[in-house]
Amino acid sequence: GTEAASSGPLAGRRVLITAGGTREALDPVRFLGNRSSGKQGIALAQAARDAGATVHLIAGHVETELPSGVEISNVSSALELHDATRAAAENADVVIMAAAVADYRPVSVGEHKMKKSEDGTDPVIELTRNPDILRALVDDRKNTGREQLIVGFAAETGDGEHSVLDFGRAKLQRKGCDLLVVNEVGTSKVFGQDTTEVTVLSAHGTEDAHAAGSKAEVAQFIVDRVGIELGV
Ligand code: CTP
Ligand code: CA
């Protein structure tokens, strides 16, 4: 069924979660994508549902089964995710942006399948920036005055000079969200894996909290942190 559990720490709360990767079309058969499996966002939807929340999941491209007992919207591109998420956020108490949003999309989308050039020149794909959905949500909240908890994710690798958490703290500031779930990524780490390790940073002075385990366990931990921020 789609009814929310009537009890639990998040009973009566409406939680919007985005999950999975976006695909940016090049032509009718080709796209630019990413390695997100959607597993963490889906685990979050399940954990929030089991905590009693009414959950709306906006799913991009995922490699795992979608959960039952939650409302589901399917999207493909970052622009579709942007429109669907901003609309759905109008009546959400909590928004969790777990989706892997493409930062750029091709400037033009071919109407027909692209053919190789006759003269041997190689194509160059010109890209343009996608809107920052998380920042738009923070702006919408401010402009409407609505009360809402906004949670972002950060996929970081760190570099020689800055640690993953240095980048995470800077990103939390930049985005203006309440919580930022930071994890370390790489081609074999996190993406598509069943276990993960995160640090949750809070904009409200709450101490950093670290969790490791299955994506279900980490989801439970994040939902617990959301409960703490909501004061439940
Ligand atoms: N995000 C978003 N819209 C985008 C890009 C990212 O809403 N166009 C969200 C992601 O869903 C995530 C958070 O912003 O919750 C951080 O994503 P990340 O890719 O780590 O941040 P960026 O601001 O894109 O920074 P970077 O240049 O490091 O990729
Ligand atoms: Ca990005």
Side-chain angles (χ1 to χ4, degrees), residues 107-186:
V107 168
S108 59
V109 182
E111 201 189 328
H112 308 289
K113 186 183 170 203
M114 273 185 266
K115 304 297 277 180
K116 290 189 295 295
S117 73
E118 305 278 321
D119 62 5
T121 56
D122 297 329
V124 175
I125 299 170
E126 197 187 338
L127 301 174
T128 186
R129 275 284 272 277
N130 275 323
D132 187 325
I133 302 167
L134 185 56
R135 284 188 72 158
L137 292 170
V138 170
D139 289 345
D140 289 347
R141 173 177 67 178
K142 194 174 171 201
N143 293 335
T144 58
R146 68 189 176 218
E147 209 173 301
Q148 188 171 70
L149 186 80
I150 304 178
V151 183
F153 270 70
E156 302 290 351
T157 58
D159 61 17
E161 268 175 82
H162 305 90
S163 72
V164 168
L165 288 187
D166 290 339
F167 281 131
R169 280 191 198 87
K171 191 163 283 180
L172 176 64
Q173 290 279 324
R174 200 161 65 238
K175 299 276 186 178
C177 55
D178 303 296
L179 294 176
L180 190 74
V181 181
V182 183
N183 58 31
E184 203 174 325
V185 298

Side-chain angles (χ1 to χ4, degrees), residues 22-33 76-79 102-111 114 123-131:
T22 64
R23 286 182 181 176
E24 309 305 311
L26 281 159
D27 70 15
V29 298
R30 303 185 179 97
F31 59 84
L32 301 178
S76 184
S77 67
L79 287 178
D103 291 329
Y104 298 95
R105 67 178 181 278
V107 168
S108 59
V109 182
E111 201 189 328
M114 273 185 266
V124 175
I125 299 170
E126 197 187 338
L127 301 174
T128 186
R129 275 284 272 277
N130 275 323

